[in-house]
Amino acid sequence: MAGRDTSPGAVAEEDVVALLTRRHDEIRELFDAVENAAAAGGDDDDDSGGGCRTAFRRLVRVLTAHETAEEEIVHPYARGALEGGEEIVAARLEEERRTGRALLRLESMDCAGDGRAAFLREFAALREETEAHTRAEERYEFPPLEAGGDPEWRRAMARAVRAAESVAPARPYPAAVPDGEDAAAGPFAAVVDRARGALRREER
């Protein structure tokens, strides 16, 4: 994130690719924060807010909001804009389903006590998969967004992404991360109606 202007005015005017790239950077930093806190053995019993559980909840909140927005804004656009878009988006949605299930498993694990080693192993696997997912989005889905429309269209897309993020849940819903193939919109389908309502308000 070094060198990027993140002042309120600059962020408000960034286009959709800049916003999504910044979110990816933020998520990487949050993964670092969880790993560092867990490796240090810090817990949240002292209410300092610096323990691994607090860091993990922050990661879950940001990652869930980000994936919700991508499912509502980025994936539908990519599905129509890319050759082979259906297959590309289906792969991203399956990755997001796995992310949702992993987050729910990690949520119930001990990240600071006796279960710390197991938590760190599963967390490292989640991070590796999330990085691969992020690289695939940046390679396949971001270029058509960057090329699409004019600068104002891209800024409007960024506003739509922020609107979807604003109504996202704080965590993936267990009912929305099924193992079967009948999940219509991936792990965060429970917020579809609220997200679409926010987008309709943004378009007015």
Side-chain angles (χ1 to χ4, degrees):
M1 295 174 65
R4 184 176 292 124
D5 185 355
T6 57
S7 63
V11 168
E13 291 302 314
E14 68 190 341
D15 73 13
V16 63
V17 174
L19 173 61
L20 293 169
T21 301
R22 182 164 61 84
R23 289 288 185 265
H24 285 178
D25 288 342
E26 290 171 1
I27 289 165
R28 291 183 183 103
E29 291 181 357
L30 290 169
F31 268 102
D32 286 341
V34 176
E35 286 182 344
N36 292 339
D43 59 33
D44 297 322
D45 290 341
D46 60 2
D47 295 325
S48 67
C52 61
R53 186 55 53 188
T54 295
F56 180 71
R57 283 196 295 264
R58 190 176 301 121
L59 169 65
V60 171
R61 185 168 60 250
V62 173
L63 187 54
T64 300
H66 176 68
E67 300 293 9
T68 298
E70 287 187 329
E71 289 189 6
E72 287 301 300
I73 307 303
V74 181
H75 297 334
Y77 183 81
R79 187 179 283 114
L82 290 170
E83 183 177 353
E86 290 287 348
E87 292 77 12
I88 289 170
V89 169
R92 302 295 78 76
L93 290 172
E94 176 54 33
E95 291 159 2
E96 288 163 11
R97 277 192 285 271
R98 291 197 297 269
T99 294
R101 290 193 291 266
L103 290 173
L104 291 172
R105 287 194 304 272
L106 285 160
E107 191 175 52
S108 65
M109 296 175 72
D110 179 6
C111 67
D114 294 340
R116 180 175 58 179
F119 176 90
L120 284 170
R121 283 195 300 272
E122 180 138 355
F123 189 77
L126 170 63
R127 180 169 196 168
E128 183 176 352
E129 184 157 327
T130 301
E131 283 286 352
H133 173 75
T134 295
R135 288 193 299 271
E137 288 178 338
E138 292 174 353
R139 177 179 178 182
Y140 295 112
E141 295 191 86
F142 286 13
L145 282 171
E146 199 160 28
D150 57 21
E152 179 50 41
W153 178 86
R154 291 191 294 274
R155 287 192 290 270
M157 288 283 283
R159 291 193 293 272
V161 166
R162 285 192 290 270
E165 289 175 335
S166 73
V167 295
R171 60 189 292 275
Y173 291 175
V177 287
D179 291 323
E181 295 297 326
D182 57 348
F188 308 110
V191 298
V192 165
D193 288 341
R194 281 184 291 164
R196 286 177 178 163
L199 298 182
R200 284 194 293 270
R201 289 192 295 275
E202 179 61 41
E203 290 168 355
R204 289 173 185 164

